[in-house]
Amino acid sequence: GAVVSQHPSWVICKSGTSVKIECRSLDFQATTMFWYRQFPKQSLMLMATSNEGSKATYEQGVEKDKFLINHASLTLSTLTVTSAHPEDSSFYICSAIRLALAKNIQYFGAGTRLSVL
Amino acid sequence: AQKVTQAQTEISVVEKEDVTLDCVYETRDTTYYLFWYKQPPSGELVFLIRRNSFDEQNEISGRYSWNFQKSTSSFNFTITASQVVDSAVYFCALSPMYSGGGADGLTFGKGTHIIIHP
């Protein structure tokens, strides 16, 4: 099956610092990647849609200046949490759609657990 | 607006029992996809199935089966002869279907935690 790699899997940072999370499709090209956020024992909430070569589309209520998304290639999207604060602590998961194969089956990374002190 | 409801928060059974997870959805789209994903304790979401809105055939894959009923906007999932390894959180999800090939993010239900006891 399709493989999506997410790095790091766990990060602890001090309040006010920025954290970058990488999402890579390892064995396929992904024109579209998605970023989700999941609070403990909660559902996944879509944050933004990342399209290769264009600006990300953010869901209502998600601060685009806070959560910077870059999709520079067909295999890599990054999410940068800028000036992180404790309320940003969460589980962040990316997904990618396999180009020209099965439309809209999203393959997910293993997630990144962010803890902001 | 889209909405997915998984009314069961947690289900606990003994191994070998059957388990059925309910999923009810709301959408204004005439064509859409429905999904089930499994999230084990490790956190990674594992794709289980995708269904098109115009394909109401039930599907069986090993011990898994799915019952899609458009008339009741339901897409239920049954695990037959459950095993301890089936213990996980299961999410039902929904997205629009675009003829032009575009893709939207998924709308997830809140998930159902399945606990299988030996």
Side-chain angles (χ1 to χ4, degrees), chain A residues 34 36 38 43 103-104 106, chain B residues 35 37 39 50 95 106 109:
Chain A
F34 301 91
Y36 295 83
Q38 185 180 29
S43 186
K103 292 195 179 102
N104 221 25
Q106 295 186 24
Chain B
F35 302 81
Y37 283 88
Q39 187 178 40
R50 183 195 71 176
S95 78
L106 302 179

Side-chain angles (χ1 to χ4, degrees), chain A residues 5-95:
Chain A
S5 172
Q6 194 171 334
H7 178 80
S9 57
W10 194 296
V11 57
I12 301 173
C13 69
K14 292 182 179 179
S15 186
T17 61
S18 294
V19 175
K20 179 185 282 189
I21 303 170
E22 290 187 349
C23 180
R24 294 180 184 275
S25 55
L26 296 184
D27 57 351
F28 66 99
Q29 292 183 326
T31 52
T32 303
M33 291 183 172
F34 301 91
W35 288 95
Y36 295 83
R37 183 173 180 175
Q38 185 180 29
F39 290 105
K41 297 188 177 182
Q42 298 288 321
S43 186
L44 286 81
M45 300 300 294
L46 179 66
M47 298 175 65
T49 301
S50 170
N51 291 301
E52 186 265 339
S54 63
K55 289 184 178 180
T57 303
Y58 291 82
E59 295 299 301
Q60 191 172 9
V62 177
E63 300 175 58
K64 61 180 181 180
D65 295 330
K66 174 82 172 167
F67 299 100
L68 300 178
I69 292 173
N70 184 276
H71 194 159
S73 76
L74 284 172
T75 59
L76 174 64
S77 176
T78 60
L79 167 68
T80 301
V81 183
T82 62
S83 187
H85 292 285
E87 58 266 29
D88 298 324
S89 299
S90 188
F91 191 56
Y92 294 88
I93 310 176
C94 71
S95 71

Side-chain angles (χ1 to χ4, degrees), chain A residues 102-117:
Chain A
K103 292 195 179 102
N104 221 25
I105 291 181
Q106 295 186 24
Y107 296 94
F108 285 82
T112 297
R113 195 165 301 281
L114 172 63
S115 296
V116 184
L117 305 177

